Amino acid sequence: MQSFISETLDTILQNTKSFENVVFILPSQRAGVFVKETFKNKISAGFLPKIINIGDFVEEISEMKKVDSVQLLFHFYTIYKEQEENPDSFDVFSSWAFTVLQDFNEIDQHLINTREIFVYLRDIHRLRKWSVKGEFHETELMKDHFAFMEKLNKYYDAFYQFLLENNIGYQGVLYREATKKVVDFISKNQKKKYFFIGFNALNASEELLFEQFLLNGKAEAYWDIDQTFYESQHQAGSFLRKYKTRWKYYQLNPIQTIKEYFSEGKHIEVIGASKNITQIKYAGEILAKLPNYNNTALVLADETLLPITLNSLPATVNAVNITMGYPLKDIPTTSLVFAIFHLFINQEKLEKKEKNLFYHKDVVRLVKDATIYTLLQLNEEKNIADVISEAIAKENNTFVSQEKIVTFLSPLPEEKKKAIITIFNPFSSISEFLSRIIELINLLKEDANELEKEYLFRFYTAFTQLQNLHNEFGYVQDLKTLHQFFRQLIQSESLSFQGEPLQGLQLMGVLETRVLDFENVIITSVNEGILPANQQQNTFIPFDVKIEFGLPTYREKDALFSYHFFRLLQRAKNIYILYNTEHDVFGSGEKSRFVTQLEMMRDDITEKIISPKVVTSPVQLKEIEKDEKVLERLRELANKGISPSALTNYLYNPIAFYKQKILKINELDDVEETVAANTMGTVVHDTLEELYKPFEGKFLQVGDVENMQKKTKELVSLYFSKHFKNGDLTTGKNRLIFEVANRFVENFLAKEKQLLKDENNQLKIVATEQELSSEIMVEGIDFPIKIKGIVDRIDELNGVTRIIDYKTGMVDSTNLKVLDFELIRDLKYHKAIQVMLYAFLYTQHTQFNFEKPLEAGIISFKNLKSGFLQMNFSSNYRKPDNAITEEKLDEFMTEIKNLLTELYDTAINFVEPVDLPY
C-alpha cells in the first residue's frame, strides 16, 4: 500500500533537493511524526524540513500566544464586569460565557464582520418584540435575554481590544490577526518554501492564508482526496470542489495529488452488534485474527469507549499507541476529589457548617476511597476506614464531627494524620481549600505507582492553575462555584498517553486519522448521531443567521466527517465497520448514513449482525447438607427455644434460616437515617406495653384509657430516642413516621375507648408482652424441642380469652382464614402460624381446660377499622368459626410436628426455594 504521505513526499522530492528552508504544515501534530519517519527513509543525508501543525503556524504568523479556555474565562469576566453596572455572579456568568466564547471564536475564524452580525442578531430580537398594536408582554427572563443580545457587540469589542493589548487570544483571534499580518510574514520569509499537506475543510481565515501563500509562489498544497469523491457530487469532496471554483490560484493551476484508490478491490465487512460492549469485544476478536498490527488502526468514533477498549484488547497486542486522551472524569483520583467536595457541599446544604459536622455517607465514601483506604491501613488485620464506618453504623450517627474523626485517626503516623485531618478542617477560603487538596496530592504521590503518579500530576497541575487564577482574580467566592468549575474542567480535559507512535496497534479517534493511511481499519460506533454527530449545536447564533453570514452549520460538519470516514477507507485493504443495533439510551441503533452511501457505491460489502454468545447454565439452587455440626446447632436451638418467626423464616427460605440460626450471621449494621419499619414497630409495641403493664390482672375502665391518651406522645418520643439513636425526628420523612407511630397508638386507644363504652363491655388485661414456652416431643426425635414466644397481649373480653398479636403492617382477614391445616405452609398463612403457636403456648402455660371460649388473632394498625382480626376456620363468610378448640390445636400441632421432623431430618437438606416472592 502506497500511503498518501509517501506519495506526496515522492512528488516533493522530484522538484526539491534542499530542505533547509522548507516548512511542512500539517493538520495535526501526530501526522508530523509519520511524515518525519517516512521522510527519513527516503533521503540518505541532509536537513529535514521544519514540520509544524496548522495551529502553531497560525500562532507564529499572528505573533500572539494562544491561551486555554479557563484562563480566557477569567479574563472575559474582568472585561464583562467593567461593561456592566449589575454584573452576574461568576458562576452564573460562566454558565453562558463558554458558549459566547465559542461563538466569538467561530466568528473570528471565518472573518465575519462582527459589527454587521451583531447588529443583525440585535435586529432579529427587536423584531420579535415588535407588535402592530404594541401589546407585546415581556417577562423578566425575556428582558434579560434581549438586553444580553443587545450587548454582545460591546462585550466582543472590549474583549478583543483587551486580548490585542496583552498579545494573547483564543484560536479565532490568532487566525484573524494572522490574516492581517500574512503579507508582512511572507515578505520577511522570502527564502522559505511552504508545503500544505493533507488538508480538507478550511475555515475562511485558513482559505485566505493558504491562497495568499500560493499566489505569492511561496507554497504548494497537496490535498488528500480520491477521484471518486472529487469528480462526483459526493459530500466528501465538497470542500475541495469549492476551492477549485473560488480560488484565483486554482483558476490557473491544477489541484495536486488526486488519485484513484477507492475503486480498487477491498475486503469490507459491515457488522451490526448489540450494545457498545459487544462492538468492542468483537473488535478485539478481529484484532486477534490479524498476523501483526504494524499497519492497523482501531478507530473509535465514540471516544468515551476508550476505557472499555483498553480492557478488551487481545493478549497478542503487545504494543499500542493511543492518540486520544484518557478522560479525566474516568480516573480514580477524580472520585477522591469529588468526595472531598461533597463533604463540604452537603455540609452547607444540610446546614451543619457552624458545628463542622459531616454527613456520614460522605465521610465513609472518602475514607473508603481506594487511595485514602491505603493510607489508613494500620496492619494486615486493621484498617481505620473500617473502624470508622463500623462505629458510625453502631452509634447510628447521621452526622460525624471532626473531633470524632481525629480520635479514630490517632494511631496514624503524624504526617498522614495531619494531612487527613486537614481535609476535615472547617472551610475558610477557596485558596486554603485548594491548598489542602494540593497537600493531599503531594502526600499521595509518595506511595503511588508510576501510573498513579501520572494521574496525580495531572490533577496537581489543574489545581495549581485554579489556585493561581484564584489568587490573581479572586472571582470564585464559594465552593459551589469551584465545584461547578472543576466539573467543567474535567469534562473537557484528558490525560495524554506517551507511547511509541510508529509501532504496534494505532488506537485513535476519527479526527486523529487525518493524513494517515492503514492497511487494516476497524471503525466502531458508526451510528447516526455519532458519525456524523447529531445536529445540536451549543450557540447563541441561530441557524438562518449562520447561513446568511457563511458560518458553518451541521451540514458542513456532516461533510467534514464524511470526508474523514471515506478518506480513511481510500487506501485500506481490510475494512471492518461496526455499529450498535440497539435502540436505547446509549445509541440510536441506526447505522450511519455513510455506511448506506458506501453500500450504494460498492457491491463487495459483506453484512452481518452479531450478538454475544449466551451460555446457558442450569440455575443451581443453593443446597446445604445437615452434617454433625449443623445437627449440634439444631440441638442447641431445640434446647434454647424456637420462636414462631424462626419457623416461618424456615418455611419462607431454609437458606436464610441456616444463615441466621445455624451460622448466626446477623444483618449488616448500617446507619438508620430514615426510621425503619421494624424500628417503628418496636416503638409502638413498647409504648403499648408501658401503657398497659400497670393494668395486668385488672378490668380496664374508660378513664384508664383517657389517662393513657395523655401520655401517648411523650412515650412515643421516649421510645424513639431509645431505638432510633442520634436520629433526627424533627423534620422530613422521620417527622412523618413519628407522627404516624403516634397516630397508630392514639387511634388504637380511641378504638379501645369505644369498645369499653359500647354495651358495657368488660375487658380484663391478663398479660402484656408475656414470655411463653413449652417443650414438645416429636416422633423420631430423641430429645424435646422447646417452642417459645412473646405474646403482645392476652385479655378477656366478656369472658372470652383473646390471644392478640400487634402488627404495624397491613394484615387482613384472609391471612387468618385457615380451612385445611395441611396448606398452612403457604406464605399467606405465616401470620396464622404465629398466632396459632401463641395460642398453643398459652394453653400449655395455663393448663387451659377449654371450658371457656378461646380466640386468637391480630390487631393491624394499618387496618384498625377491621378491629380484632380472628382466626377463622369456616368457609361460610356469614357464619365465621373463630373458636380455637383442643381438636383444632391438635390438628395444627400435627402439622408443626411434621415441619419439625423435616427440620431435624438429616436426609432433608436446606434447599433454596425455586421462586422466592421477595
Side-chain angles (χ1 to χ4, degrees):
M1 181 197 76
Q2 175 80 317
S3 71
F4 166 73
I5 290 172
S6 182
E7 275 183 5
T8 304
L9 291 180
D10 286 343
T11 310
I12 292 169
L13 282 163
Q14 286 171 11
N15 308 314
T16 312
K17 300 303 171 200
S18 169
F19 289 90
E20 194 176 344
N21 285 313
V22 169
V23 181
F24 285 179
I25 298 107
L26 295 152
S28 68
Q29 197 75 40
R30 181 180 179 74
V33 177
F34 281 81
V35 168
K36 197 176 285 185
E37 182 65 18
T38 312
F39 200 89
K40 281 194 304 192
N41 296 333
K42 288 186 182 289
I43 59 167
S44 52
F47 284 104
L48 276 175
K50 181 182 178 182
I51 297 170
I52 190 170
N53 68 34
I54 185 68
D56 293 345
F57 185 55
V58 168
E59 198 168 328
E60 191 183 322
I61 298 169
S62 69
E63 298 171 337
M64 294 176 79
K65 189 177 184 307
K66 184 175 181 282
V67 289
D68 66 63
S69 56
V70 176
Q71 208 170 332
L72 275 170
L73 194 72
F74 279 82
H75 287 309
F76 188 23
Y77 190 58
T78 306
I79 301 304
Y80 165 76
K81 287 209 318 184
E82 288 170 6
Q83 300 295 317
E84 286 292 324
E85 285 180 29
N86 300 305
D88 288 341
S89 61
F90 185 69
D91 57 322
V92 174
F93 164 83
S94 63
S95 66
W96 56 260
F98 273 116
T99 308
V100 168
L101 286 173
Q102 282 172 13
D103 286 340
F104 286 175
N105 185 44
E106 200 164 57
I107 286 166
D108 285 330
Q109 281 185 350
H110 289 271
L111 304 176
I112 307 298
N113 183 313
T114 49
R115 176 145 186 81
E116 282 179 19
I117 193 168
F118 288 128
V119 167
Y120 193 94
L121 271 172
R122 182 201 69 192
D123 290 347
I124 285 172
H125 283 83
R126 284 184 179 177
L127 276 170
R128 284 182 185 163
K129 286 166 62 173
W130 183 79
S131 157
V132 176
K133 295 179 182 176
E135 291 175 353
F136 183 76
H137 297 293
E138 268 185 298
T139 64
E140 282 304 312
L141 194 65
M142 290 163 79
K143 273 183 190 170
D144 281 354
H145 183 66
F146 289 139
F148 168 73
M149 295 311 290
E150 296 266 346
K151 290 172 185 170
L152 267 179
N153 195 24
K154 193 169 73 166
Y155 297 154
Y156 173 86
D157 288 341
F159 190 45
Y160 198 95
Q161 193 55 44
F162 167 82
L163 294 173
L164 286 183
E165 286 166 8
N166 289 277
N167 220 34
I168 57 170
Y170 48 84
Q171 202 170 32
V173 172
L174 271 60
Y175 270 109
R176 198 186 276 272
E177 289 306 304
T179 59
K180 295 175 187 174
K181 296 173 182 176
V182 66
V183 176
D184 273 357
F185 182 84
I186 292 169
S187 65
K188 284 177 191 170
N189 295 277
Q190 285 293 327
K191 291 180 181 176
K192 288 188 179 174
K193 180 77 181 277
Y194 297 90
F195 291 94
F196 298 102
I197 299 169
F199 286 89
N200 173 48
L202 305 176
N203 59 46
S205 302
E206 287 168 339
E207 283 191 52
L208 192 147
L209 292 171
F210 278 40
E211 197 175 5
Q212 199 70 48
F213 276 97
L214 291 168
L215 287 169
N216 276 281
K218 294 293 169 192
E220 287 178 33
Y222 291 88
W223 307 91
D224 186 7
I225 188 81
D226 197 278
Q227 202 171 309
T228 310
F229 308 115
Y230 177 67
E231 292 181 357
S232 66
Q233 286 305 303
H234 197 283
Q235 206 179 16
S238 59
F239 293 104
L240 208 51
R241 290 195 297 273
K242 182 176 81 172
Y243 308 148
K244 176 67 181 165
T245 53
R246 283 195 197 169
W247 291 12
K248 285 180 190 172
Y249 178 80
Y250 283 128
Q251 286 160 13
L252 306 169
N253 299 286
I255 281 183
Q256 300 270 37
T257 62
I258 295 179
K259 298 285 170 68
E260 189 170 3
Y261 287 105
F262 183 75
S263 55
E264 290 177 0
K266 301 177 190 299
H267 172 76
I268 304 175
E269 287 185 31
V270 174
I271 303 146
S274 57
K275 307 274 185 185
N276 290 331
I277 192 83
T278 312
Q279 288 185 72
I280 301 301
K281 291 291 179 191
Y282 192 72
E285 286 183 26
I286 295 168
L287 287 169
K289 291 172 189 170
L290 296 175
N292 64 69
Y293 307 108
N294 291 340
N295 212 344
T296 303
L298 174 55
V299 180
L300 304 182
D302 180 359
E303 295 190 13
T304 60
L305 298 182
L306 176 63
I308 61 169
T309 305
L310 293 175
N311 289 316
S312 304
L313 295 175
T316 47
V317 177
N318 52 15
V320 60
N321 184 51
I322 304 162
T323 310
M324 68 192 89
Y326 194 91
L328 273 192
K329 61 184 174 59
D330 293 330
I331 284 172
T333 315
T334 306
S335 61
L336 169 62
V337 175
F338 274 131
I340 297 170
F341 270 115
H342 285 136
L343 272 179
F344 294 93
I345 286 168
N346 286 337
Q347 184 187 61
E348 197 167 312
K349 193 161 75 177
L350 299 168
E351 298 175 357
K352 301 294 177 185
K353 195 173 175 182
E354 281 182 29
K355 295 178 181 175
N356 199 35
L357 295 172
F358 302 98
Y359 183 48
H360 73 98
K361 283 185 181 173
D362 295 332
V363 173
V364 172
R365 183 194 296 163
L366 179 66
V367 296
K368 289 282 179 87
D369 185 275
T371 41
I372 300 292
Y373 192 82
T374 309
L375 286 181
L376 297 176
Q377 192 74 43
L378 280 179
N379 50 52
E380 283 181 22
E381 287 84 34
K382 192 175 181 185
N383 189 297
I384 292 174
D386 297 325
V387 175
I388 291 172
S389 59
E390 283 164 19
I392 289 171
K394 191 177 177 184
E395 294 170 23
N396 204 44
N397 286 317
T398 310
F399 295 97
V400 187
S401 67
Q402 188 186 15
E403 292 75 35
K404 194 101 177 161
I405 294 162
V406 171
T407 311
F408 288 124
L409 297 175
S410 56
L412 278 180
E414 201 55 42
E415 190 191 0
K416 285 183 182 179
K417 185 164 71 175
K418 183 173 174 266
I420 296 169
I421 291 169
T422 304
I423 297 172
F424 294 94
N425 281 347
F427 175 76
S428 55
S429 69
I430 294 292
S431 187
E432 187 277 328
F433 183 79
L434 291 168
S435 294
R436 72 173 80 163
I437 293 179
I438 291 167
E439 273 179 46
L440 178 65
I441 291 170
N442 275 327
L443 173 69
L444 294 174
K445 79 170 193 290
E446 300 303 323
D447 299 318
N449 60 37
E450 291 305 309
L451 184 60
E452 287 166 346
K453 279 181 181 168
E454 285 285 345
Y455 299 160
L456 292 167
F457 179 70
R458 189 68 194 79
F459 277 93
Y460 181 83
T461 54
F463 278 104
T464 306
Q465 183 194 19
L466 278 174
Q467 194 173 41
N468 291 340
L469 288 168
H470 176 70
N471 292 341
E472 185 182 345
F473 296 97
Y475 293 152
V476 179
Q477 291 302 324
D478 57 40
L479 255 187
K480 189 179 151 203
T481 309
L482 183 67
H483 179 244
Q484 180 187 324
F485 212 83
F486 175 69
R487 192 180 284 279
Q488 280 175 331
L489 194 69
I490 62 152
Q491 287 298 331
S492 56
E493 292 291 317
S494 57
L495 180 74
S496 299
F497 288 96
Q498 288 186 345
E500 177 46 65
L502 303 161
Q503 283 180 6
L505 174 70
Q506 301 293 323
L507 185 52
M508 52 179 68
V510 175
L511 291 175
E512 279 78 29
T513 62
R514 289 174 292 185
V515 189
L516 308 179
D517 295 299
F518 302 95
E519 204 162 291
N520 308 310
V521 174
I522 304 164
I523 317 173
T524 63
S525 304
V526 188
N527 283 79
E528 277 297 307
I530 297 171
L531 196 70
N534 60 37
Q535 296 178 11
Q536 287 180 336
Q537 287 181 283
N538 212 5
T539 177
F540 285 111
I541 305 169
F543 181 78
D544 53 334
V545 179
K546 287 194 168 192
I547 299 286
E548 174 68 23
F549 284 89
L551 284 168
T553 62
Y554 68 85
R555 295 189 297 204
E556 281 74 21
K557 285 184 179 163
D558 285 2
L560 171 63
F561 278 100
S562 176
Y563 168 78
H564 287 314
F565 177 76
F566 286 102
R567 194 214 66 78
L568 187 57
L569 311 183
Q570 280 170 199
R571 293 174 171 80
K573 295 279 187 286
N574 302 301
I575 299 159
Y576 303 90
I577 297 164
L578 292 105
Y579 66 94
N580 182 6
T581 58
E582 293 302 300
H583 292 265
D584 60 17
V585 291
F586 301 110
S588 68
E590 185 183 347
K591 66 182 173 187
S592 169
R593 69 192 83 159
F594 299 158
V595 179
T596 310
Q597 289 169 18
L598 183 66
E599 288 166 348
M600 292 169 75
M601 294 168 81
R602 304 186 67 99
D603 55 11
D604 58 351
I605 297 171
T606 57
E607 290 192 56
K608 61 181 173 184
I609 302 288
I610 58 152
S611 57
K613 288 176 190 149
V614 179
V615 181
T616 55
S617 56
V619 177
Q620 197 71 41
L621 293 172
K622 288 177 192 159
E623 191 167 339
I624 294 153
E625 291 180 10
K626 292 173 185 167
D627 59 15
E628 195 51 48
K629 283 186 179 176
V630 172
L631 283 174
E632 195 182 312
R633 282 291 303 123
L634 284 170
R635 280 194 201 96
E636 279 177 36
L637 199 59
N639 185 44
K640 189 180 169 190
I642 300 174
S643 67
S645 58
L647 275 179
T648 54
N649 190 17
Y650 172 75
L651 280 173
Y652 177 68
N653 183 358
I655 298 294
F657 174 88
Y658 170 77
K659 286 177 181 174
Q660 286 176 14
K661 299 296 177 184
I662 309 300
L663 298 181
K664 297 184 180 178
I665 296 173
N666 295 321
E667 282 188 25
L668 182 70
D669 251 359
D670 200 3
V671 173
E672 193 182 330
E673 287 179 66
T674 305
V675 179
N678 59 344
T679 304
M680 186 178 83
T682 307
V683 168
V684 172
H685 277 69
D686 285 3
T687 303
L688 289 175
E689 184 190 3
E690 179 85 6
L691 291 170
Y692 278 87
K693 202 77 177 168
F695 298 98
E696 282 185 347
K698 297 177 185 175
F699 283 95
L700 203 63
Q701 306 298 323
V702 172
D704 299 329
V705 178
E706 284 172 350
N707 286 333
M708 288 182 196
Q709 286 173 320
K710 293 170 189 172
K711 301 176 189 172
T712 303
K713 198 157 192 170
E714 186 188 327
L715 284 174
V716 171
S717 296
L718 173 73
Y719 284 110
F720 262 120
S721 64
K722 180 182 170 185
H723 297 294
F724 186 50
K725 283 183 199 165
N726 302 315
D728 182 10
L729 289 166
T730 56
T731 57
K733 258 188 187 177
N734 289 342
R735 177 60 188 266
L736 294 175
I737 293 166
F738 170 78
E739 294 296 343
V740 167
N742 192 50
R743 191 72 55 86
F744 275 173
V745 178
E746 284 178 352
N747 290 350
F748 175 79
L749 293 175
K751 194 92 179 163
E752 198 88 312
K753 188 174 165 184
Q754 192 61 45
L755 176 77
L756 293 169
K757 279 183 176 178
D758 289 352
E759 302 167 17
N760 296 319
N761 285 321
Q762 297 293 306
L763 179 64
K764 182 183 179 184
I765 305 298
V766 177
T768 60
E769 298 292 325
Q770 183 165 14
E771 288 187 31
L772 301 173
S773 64
S774 175
E775 287 189 345
I776 58 171
M777 292 304 296
V778 178
E779 197 177 331
I781 300 173
D782 56 2
F783 49 85
I785 296 171
K786 183 178 177 183
I787 307 286
K788 65 172 185 178
I790 300 172
V791 183
D792 292 335
R793 166 167 155 179
I794 303 163
D795 66 20
E796 272 182 31
L797 179 64
N798 301 328
V800 178
T801 303
R802 303 190 305 173
I803 312 293
I804 300 171
D805 191 28
Y806 298 142
K807 297 286 184 198
T808 44
M810 183 67 187
V811 182
D812 62 37
S813 54
T814 57
N815 297 122
L816 301 172
K817 190 172 183 176
V818 181
L819 306 179
D820 184 353
F821 284 113
E822 284 183 11
L823 301 173
I824 206 159
R825 293 184 179 213
D826 196 305
L827 176 64
K828 71 174 181 177
Y829 296 127
H830 284 189
K831 290 181 177 69
I833 290 175
Q834 290 186 352
V835 169
M836 288 295 285
L837 275 170
Y838 289 144
F840 167 75
L841 291 172
Y842 175 72
T843 59
Q844 294 296 302
H845 178 74
T846 58
Q847 304 296 310
F848 196 75
N849 57 14
F850 293 95
E851 287 174 9
K852 287 199 288 184
L854 175 66
E855 291 175 356
I858 288 170
I859 291 177
S860 165
F861 290 94
K862 278 194 178 173
N863 189 12
L864 263 180
K865 67 179 186 297
S866 301
F868 178 50
L869 302 164
Q870 301 172 57
M871 287 298 303
N872 182 7
F873 308 103
S874 168
S875 59
N876 187 339
Y877 71 93
R878 285 197 180 92
K879 292 181 180 175
D881 177 9
N882 304 125
I884 292 177
T885 61
E886 196 167 1
E887 294 76 20
K888 287 198 180 84
L889 268 182
D890 287 344
E891 212 180 314
F892 167 71
M893 287 310 293
T894 303
E895 273 309 310
I896 294 298
K897 285 175 181 178
N898 290 341
L899 176 60
L900 291 168
T901 305
E902 179 188 305
L903 176 59
Y904 282 84
D905 189 341
T906 51
I908 300 171
N909 296 337
F910 291 112
V911 182
E912 184 181 21
V914 179
D915 47 357
L916 275 175
Y918 307 113

